[in-house]
Amino acid sequence: MSTSGARRGAWHGWVAGWALLAMLLSLPAMGQGLSDAGLRGDAPDRYTVVRGDTLWDISGRFLRHPWQWPEVWEVNPQIRNPHLIYPGDTVYLYYQDGRPRLGLERGRGEVRLSPEVRRTPRREAVPPLPLERVENFLTEYRVLDDPAQADEQAYVVGGDDRRLISGAGDRIYARGDLADHGRLGIYRLGETYEDSVTGEFLGLELVGVGQARWLRGEGDIATLDVLSANQEVRNGDLVLPLESGELLTEFQPRAPERAVDGRLLAVPGGVQFIGRLQVVALDRGRRDGLTPGHVLSVEQRGELVTDPVTNESLRLPGEEAGLVMVFKSYERMSYALVMRASRSLAVGDRIFNPDSSATLAQR
């Protein structure tokens, strides 16, 4: 990174620190906290964070439901910006007024609310979930909120030396509006997602084929060099600027603020049965209040059986089977990672707000 880039990053971090402080000081006192019932029976007194931990892992060492993390931090004046926890920091359990609390030590003492800027590089902080899983996924998949957008994109019209298919290191030609965009993504049309009940369009999935670099343009034809390819590049593949910005990682596992009731929409890649740390598509998105960090329960769809007496077809009641955390939301759909699976999950299983009533206590 350049010196100017480093200075900008430090400045942004400093501003973010002050903004966060102002926001936290302006928040009203919260009326809920965790009782002992919300703690795991084997919760440690202290835990030192190690490289490779996630916020979900750390929360799960202390809490029965890791998504209740904000219920702890919101009433704890010792913790500032809990998603910025670093390897080597220690999270400890203590009691105040008879109620369990969690504190944080940086190694040089407890952390107090202040506008101080931590100088450890941001990328070393503990992420909320396994980033390698979702970062790799997001290089290969993206969603268009409007199907008409696909017709507006540039597309591959040919390869160098009359090649019909191309790969890394080859030169290709694309037609469309591709003014010098630098690095570009090459995509192929994937699934068109629709609501299983209403038939409403939810999103058009694009599957990444590779990346290319813009070299020059002549009229509406651009010359590109293929930098990488995970499969052959074909005529007709779409060429788009890569999605701007990095994956949003500074979020806390938490329950949605609004009521959510939907379904597992699909498993990108065509897997039939779903397990822990697999990516799933949900049929709910930003318009339904979903943003990165929201955790939803999954109910395994009940088996379809035949009544032995009446010969009617019956759907048995569903069973709670797991938890998913949203990491990328679009207007009508989202991508989430399976954080817990006590049963095999499948497309069509119900998603809904997790229940915290059994573990929350009024102050």
Side-chain angles (χ1 to χ4, degrees), residues 19-41:
L20 175 67
L21 175 61
M23 178 187 73
L24 290 176
L25 291 177
S26 67
L27 287 175
M30 300 299 293
Q32 289 186 324
L34 266 172
S35 69
D36 273 337
L39 294 176
R40 288 175 56 105

Side-chain angles (χ1 to χ4, degrees), residues 9 21 57 73 127 190 208 223 247 259 284 288 307 320 324 329 332:
L21 175 61
D57 298 331
W73 297 150
T223 301
L247 172 68
R284 295 292 182 266
D288 306 291
D307 187 302
E320 195 162 341
V324 298
S329 57
R332 303 179 189 87

Side-chain angles (χ1 to χ4, degrees), residues 90-361:
T90 297
V91 178
Y92 62 92
L93 175 65
Y94 70 103
Y95 283 79
Q96 185 178 60
D97 299 327
R99 294 187 180 279
R101 298 287 184 266
L102 293 177
L104 181 67
E105 293 178 356
R106 293 288 195 208
R108 64 172 184 265
E110 292 184 349
V111 175
R112 301 285 178 178
L113 282 176
S114 74
E116 175 189 1
V117 177
R118 183 179 175 90
R119 300 188 182 279
T120 304
R122 245 176 143 180
R123 65 181 58 189
E124 293 182 9
V126 169
L129 43 63
L131 286 186
E132 68 278 2
R133 291 278 181 171
V134 297
E135 286 177 332
N136 291 339
F137 174 84
L138 289 176
T139 63
E140 297 184 19
Y141 293 90
R142 66 190 291 180
V143 168
L144 299 180
D145 288 323
D146 183 350
Q149 289 178 293
D151 298 329
E152 301 168 358
Q153 307 305 322
Y155 52 93
V156 177
V157 294
D160 192 27
D161 199 22
R162 301 181 181 179
R163 289 190 180 94
L164 297 178
I165 59 175
S166 303
D170 290 338
R171 184 158 294 177
I172 59 174
Y173 304 95
R175 186 179 187 187
D177 183 14
L178 278 179
D180 185 1
H181 281 295
R183 203 176 182 95
L184 301 159
I186 307 171
Y187 299 91
R188 193 160 296 152
L189 293 178
E191 293 288 332
T192 298
Y193 293 123
E194 297 178 345
D195 188 288
S196 60
V197 177
T198 66
E200 179 190 12
F201 170 84
L202 300 178
L204 174 60
E205 190 172 71
L206 302 183
V207 181
V209 173
Q211 294 188 12
R213 181 177 59 241
W214 187 94
L215 291 179
R216 59 181 178 273
E218 186 175 330
D220 63 349
I221 304 296
T223 301
L224 314 174
D225 271 348
V226 180
L227 301 176
S228 62
N230 51 48
Q231 53 183 304
E232 70 276 3
V233 178
R234 303 174 185 169
N235 291 348
D237 286 342
L238 303 183
V239 182
L240 292 75
L242 295 174
E243 286 189 294
S244 60
E246 296 180 354
L247 172 68
L248 177 63
T249 60
E250 294 184 0
F251 55 79
Q252 302 174 22
R254 65 199 188 282
E257 291 76 21
R258 290 162 50 181
V260 176
D261 198 331
R263 299 284 172 182
L264 291 185
L265 183 62
V267 186
V271 178
Q272 183 176 4
F273 295 104
I274 308 162
R276 184 174 178 271
L277 297 185
Q278 283 188 283
V279 174
V280 293
L282 313 179
D283 66 356
R284 295 292 182 266
R286 287 194 299 260
R287 68 175 182 179
D288 306 291
L290 288 185
T291 58
H294 280 145
V295 176
L296 295 163
S297 290
V298 183
E299 181 183 83
Q300 186 186 59
R301 198 175 187 187
E303 183 183 359
L304 191 63
V305 300
T306 301
D307 187 302
V309 176
T310 66
N311 213 32
E312 296 174 286
S313 291
L314 299 175
R315 177 74 67 180
L316 298 181
E319 296 288 344
E320 195 162 341
L323 295 169
V324 298
M325 189 195 302
V326 174
F327 63 84
K328 181 75 173 181
S329 57
Y330 296 92
E331 183 62 22
R332 303 179 189 87
M333 61 174 288
S334 302
Y335 287 129
L337 191 68
V338 178
M339 305 304 297
R340 182 180 295 169
S342 56
R343 301 164 178 259
S344 63
L345 311 180
V347 171
D349 284 350
R350 179 182 171 226
I351 54 171
F352 58 99
N353 297 60
D355 180 18
S356 62
S357 58
T359 56
L360 286 179

